[in-house]
Amino acid sequence: AGASTTWENPQTGLRGTVTPVAKAFAGESGTCRAFLATLVSTARTDWYQGRAGHGGNVLSVGPGEPFTPPPAS
């Protein structure tokens, strides 16, 4: 997997993280990785899972699926 990357948009107040969750693999658009992402707003936190890859200078993000994380133990 890998380390999480945080991001923030000061214009919208949205922020979140993107975390790779598996080793890179060969996909249709080149090297890809599966990821989990959060989108944090003032009202709620949404979780998404998907895959992203790039071939040449093109970054393509696969359709993220809404994801409900397991409850904290």
Side-chain angles (χ1 to χ4, degrees), residues 54-66:
H54 63 85
N57 295 325
V58 178
L59 173 68
S60 60
V61 176
E65 298 292 330

Side-chain angles (χ1 to χ4, degrees), residues 2-54:
S4 294
T5 299
T6 60
W7 61 273
E8 183 173 354
N9 184 330
Q11 292 179 325
T12 64
L14 298 174
R15 60 187 171 85
T17 61
V18 178
T19 306
V21 293
K23 291 183 180 182
F25 61 92
E28 293 177 17
S29 60
T31 303
C32 296
R33 289 193 80 164
F35 67 87
L36 291 177
T38 62
L39 174 63
V40 180
S41 68
T42 56
R44 62 192 231 189
T45 299
D46 292 316
W47 291 74
Y48 297 92
Q49 61 184 357
R51 64 182 183 160
H54 63 85

